[in-house]
């Protein structure tokens, strides 16, 4: 009897068993291609700017640094939040600093403008600080309900004297920071406490930690205000329960008369 012309059952079964494997391989290749495309997608200039704006925003303290070196650093509260947006997309942030015990009495108030660096400069993000024309109206701006804050158009109108600009670049791989930069060589004019110019250094670290170092120098290059040992290190606010438990910390029980006076080499209270 003939064997017939039908297909071999074993061959057919083997073909079907290979099909799912080919499908899986195809899906892996497609998924890998999509992932690579996403990972290699170029970061835009505005992406860098938005990261820096978000990192600067929020409530931060220098408590840990003050604990390590109370002779040179205070426990300072830094509070910042979005206040307006310029027509070109630049973000305007309100920023204030105050002693931990008296957050309602900020000793420094600024408007920060964050935007991409001009294409001709070798940096990624430009952060400029400005005085506020009517600073009293902005005290505790970020702590207020939005309907009790100056309107964005009012904020833009209150942008005052340009104080300094820091040009930030992405940090090299392996460093703790995400972005870091400083003011251009020569700094910016400043006359507080005998200074002739000032410099500012800013570093944005992971977990929204900010390192800020403002210093003033006289004509001979001598530092006349600002911390000498290094930048202030501001870390995001701890939980409210932790803050309340620290109310009797030695860092927070200085007499108010002491806190109201600038300490040489530690921190500049006004510029």
């Amino acid at each position: 009897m003939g064997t017939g012309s039908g297909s071999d059952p074993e061959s057919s079964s083997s073909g079907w068993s290979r099909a799912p494997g080919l499908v899986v391989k195809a899906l892996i290749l497609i998924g890998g291609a999509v992932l690579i495309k996403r990972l290699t997608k170029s970061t835009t200039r505005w992406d860098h700017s938005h990261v820096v704006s978000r990192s600067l925003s929020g409530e931060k303290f220098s408590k840990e640094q003050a604990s390590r070196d109370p002779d040179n650093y205070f426990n300072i509260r830094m509070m910042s939040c979005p206040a307006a947006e310029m027509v070109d997309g630049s973000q305007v942030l309100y920023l204030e600093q105050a002693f931990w015990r008296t957050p309602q009495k900020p000793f420094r108030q600024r408007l920060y403008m964050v935007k991409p660096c001009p294409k001709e400069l070798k940096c990624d993000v430009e952060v400029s600080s400005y005085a506020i024309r009517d600073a009293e109206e902005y005290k505790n701006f970020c702590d207020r309900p939005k309907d009790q804050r100056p309107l964005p158009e009012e904020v833009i109108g209150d942008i005052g004297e340009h104080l300094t600009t820091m040009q930030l670049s992405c940090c090299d791989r392996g460093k703790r920071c995400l972005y870091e930069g400083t003011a251009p060589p020569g700094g910016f004019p400043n006359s507080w406490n005998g200074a002739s110019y000032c410099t500012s250094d800013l570093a944005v670290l992971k977990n929204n930690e900010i390192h800020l170092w403002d210093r003033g120098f006289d004509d001979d290059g001598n530092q006349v205000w600002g911390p000498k040992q290094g930048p202030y290190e501001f870390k995001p606010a701890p939980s409210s329960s932790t803050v309340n438990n620290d109310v009797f910390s030695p860092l927070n029980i200085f007499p108010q008369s002491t806190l109201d006076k600038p300490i040489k080499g530690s921190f500049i209270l006004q510029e």
Side-chain angles (χ1 to χ4, degrees):
M1 298 177 61
T3 58
S5 58
S7 60
D8 185 352
E10 292 185 4
S11 176
S12 176
S13 173
S14 176
W16 280 106
S17 65
R18 286 197 298 269
L22 293 174
V23 172
V24 171
K25 288 181 180 179
L27 290 174
I28 291 175
L29 289 173
I30 293 172
V34 172
L35 179 60
I36 290 173
K37 184 177 180 181
R38 288 183 178 179
L39 291 176
T40 57
K41 182 181 178 181
S42 60
T43 302
T44 69
R45 297 163 61 243
W46 285 104
D47 289 335
H48 291 298
S49 178
H50 293 155
V51 170
V52 172
S53 293
R54 288 195 298 269
S55 298
L56 284 169
S57 299
E59 184 182 39
K60 308 176 195 298
F61 291 89
S62 59
K63 178 179 181 296
E64 290 186 19
Q65 185 180 34
S67 298
R68 296 194 310 268
D69 190 358
D71 291 335
N72 294 295
Y73 297 94
F74 291 117
N75 180 11
I76 302 296
R77 178 198 192 234
M78 183 172 79
M79 187 70 167
S80 179
C81 62
E85 183 174 315
M86 306 296 285
V87 293
D88 66 352
S90 301
Q91 294 290 318
V92 179
L93 307 177
Y94 171 77
L95 182 145
E96 68 181 20
Q97 294 174 348
F99 291 111
W100 182 90
R101 293 181 66 247
T102 54
Q104 74 281 5
K105 296 180 179 180
F107 55 74
R108 172 178 287 181
Q109 296 172 265
R110 297 285 184 265
L111 289 174
Y112 273 28
M113 189 178 298
V114 185
K115 62 182 180 180
C117 280
K119 292 182 178 180
E120 63 270 17
L121 296 180
K122 294 182 178 179
C123 57
D124 296 299
V125 182
E126 194 171 79
V127 180
S128 299
S129 66
Y130 295 84
I132 305 174
R133 287 200 171 94
D134 192 0
E136 190 68 24
E137 293 294 321
Y138 285 80
K139 283 186 177 180
N140 306 127
F141 177 93
C142 300
D143 296 305
R144 303 185 217 165
K146 289 188 177 181
D147 61 357
Q148 296 180 19
R149 302 176 182 175
L151 297 173
E153 54 267 31
E154 295 175 316
V155 173
I156 294 173
D158 284 333
I159 296 175
E161 177 188 0
H162 173 248
L163 301 173
T164 185
T165 292
M166 294 162 282
Q167 297 169 348
L168 310 184
S169 298
C170 293
C171 295
D172 295 333
R173 184 171 296 180
K175 297 188 72 173
R176 288 184 60 214
C177 58
L178 300 176
Y179 300 88
E180 64 179 350
T182 186
F188 290 88
N190 184 280
S191 59
W192 195 87
N193 198 37
S196 60
Y197 68 95
C198 67
T199 63
S200 295
D201 296 84
L202 174 65
V204 177
L205 283 70
K206 296 178 181 178
N207 300 320
N208 297 325
E209 182 177 341
I210 297 294
H211 290 186
L212 187 60
W213 196 5
D214 294 329
R215 291 169 291 169
F217 299 87
D218 62 19
D219 290 328
D220 297 323
N222 301 309
Q223 185 175 340
V224 294
W225 60 255
K228 294 184 177 181
Q229 288 71 20
Y232 259 83
E233 301 172 2
F234 293 100
K235 296 186 178 183
S239 64
S240 57
S241 60
T242 303
V243 173
N244 291 336
N245 289 337
D246 288 343
V247 68
F248 297 112
S249 165
L251 298 173
N252 301 316
I253 57 176
F254 291 113
Q256 187 56 46
S257 58
T258 301
L259 293 179
D260 285 341
K261 298 178 181 178
I263 291 184
K264 183 177 179 181
S266 177
F267 203 73
I268 172 67
L269 300 188
Q270 294 291 338
E271 295 174 14

